[in-house]
Amino acid sequence: MRYDKVGSVMTADVVRAEYGTPFKEVARLLTDHRISGLPVVDEDDKVVGVLSETDLMMHQATVPDPYEPKHRARLAELTPGAKRRTAKSRARTAGGLMTTPPVTVHADDTIVQAARVMAQKHVERLPVLDEEDRLVGIVTRGDLLRVFLRTDQEIRNEVIEEVLVRTLWLSPRSIDVFVTEGVVTLAGQLERRSETEIAVSMTRRMDGVVDVVADLTYRLDDARLRPGQQAQVPHGVTEDWLRRL
């Protein structure tokens, strides 16, 4: 089954900084390109960190206040994260300002995988790497959301072709497939219970599918069959999918 890859929605022309890029140049890059963050790369185009507007603001916010009592300033330096903030306040280049380690994805990763990483790491953009871990693009939340712009007809066609015909070896009209605003309804009767589980599982993983409503029945509950009986039940390529469910 085809899943859209990160490489199909990423931006290939990446605004980047090098480890030694000066603070003001980083600020200019963010302002001129109207972006809120960028990756930092080494001489081999490998990502060593990421920089955001927050990192630059932290630099300014942690500059010592000349009017603040010295004893209060010393206490502030003992709080958790104070060393990191102090280092950023003194940084003059991208290498000192950046956040490490960088959170990245590969161009061959699926959009679902990238979205999961974004949600787990609480980031808004991900540098995209090739097979040799070199920077080839960048993907944002907006890029990943493009998959939900697929039309209902496109989704319906893929369900019929990929799930019913290619995987389950069934007729395109074996069950009814309805799609409304990305919500797929599967209705009808299949031969085996395992086929209904596969149909729902595969459809749910499809790009652009918001939810799946399963109104499916089956003639044979193959989950209750003993091994010898299962061998007598005709099947196609569904066994591989059963192992993944």
Side-chain angles (χ1 to χ4, degrees):
M1 178 180 169
R2 179 187 65 81
Y3 294 112
D4 282 339
K5 305 295 185 179
V6 171
S8 68
V9 297
M10 72 181 187
T11 299
D13 186 14
V14 188
V15 180
R16 67 193 74 188
E18 296 180 352
Y19 193 90
T21 302
F23 177 98
K24 287 191 175 182
E25 176 64 13
V26 172
R28 186 189 66 77
L29 287 171
L30 295 178
T31 302
D32 289 354
H33 294 277
R34 298 182 180 181
I35 55 178
S36 58
L38 50 78
V40 181
V41 299
D42 62 15
E43 61 275 7
D44 291 325
D45 248 3
K46 295 192 174 180
V47 181
V48 294
V50 292
L51 253 174
S52 69
E53 291 175 329
T54 302
D55 293 316
L56 271 66
M57 292 298 293
M58 187 179 293
H59 178 281
Q60 294 302 100
T62 52
V63 173
D65 184 348
Y67 299 102
E68 184 177 14
K70 291 185 178 181
H71 70 279
R72 188 179 300 173
R74 292 194 189 98
L75 288 175
E77 292 176 359
L78 299 177
T79 59
K83 291 184 178 180
R84 181 172 61 87
R85 292 193 295 270
T86 300
K88 285 183 181 290
S89 71
R90 297 170 180 170
R92 298 181 180 180
T93 64
L97 290 165
M98 68 185 184
T99 297
T100 59
V103 180
T104 62
V105 291
H106 284 81
D108 285 337
D109 290 341
T110 67
I111 289 175
V112 173
Q113 289 172 319
R116 188 176 297 119
V117 171
M118 276 192 181
Q120 291 174 344
K121 300 297 183 179
H122 305 288
V123 295
E124 297 182 357
R125 70 193 64 79
L126 294 167
V128 183
L129 313 180
D130 63 13
E131 295 177 351
E132 298 180 349
D133 290 337
R134 290 189 171 87
L135 181 68
V136 292
I138 196 159
V139 65
T140 66
R141 289 182 180 178
D143 295 327
L144 300 184
L145 288 174
R146 289 182 196 172
V147 298
F148 291 103
L149 299 180
R150 299 182 70 195
T151 66
D152 290 343
Q153 188 60 49
E154 288 175 332
I155 295 172
R156 181 177 184 273
N157 291 343
E158 187 172 358
V159 171
I160 293 172
E161 180 63 24
E162 297 290 341
V163 179
L164 300 186
V165 176
R166 293 191 179 181
T167 298
L168 296 177
W169 293 1
L170 299 173
S171 162
R173 298 173 183 261
S174 54
I175 61 173
D176 294 323
V177 180
F178 306 102
V179 186
T180 304
E181 297 295 325
V183 178
V184 181
T185 299
L186 305 175
Q189 187 177 60
L190 294 174
E191 183 65 29
R192 307 167 67 192
R193 175 180 176 178
S194 59
E195 290 175 337
T196 65
E197 294 171 348
I198 291 169
V200 172
S201 178
M202 288 188 67
T203 302
R204 195 179 301 280
R205 300 182 192 188
M206 246 173 217
D207 298 327
V209 172
V210 176
D211 198 6
V212 178
V213 177
D215 187 14
L216 295 170
T217 60
Y218 47 85
R219 296 184 182 89
L220 177 66
D221 187 355
D222 51 344
R224 297 178 178 274
L225 297 179
R226 293 188 294 273
Q229 293 175 308
Q230 289 178 345
Q232 300 172 11
V233 179
H235 58 81
V237 295
T238 60
E239 299 307 319
D240 289 338
W241 265 94
L242 281 174
R243 298 187 186 98
R244 305 179 201 175
L245 297 180

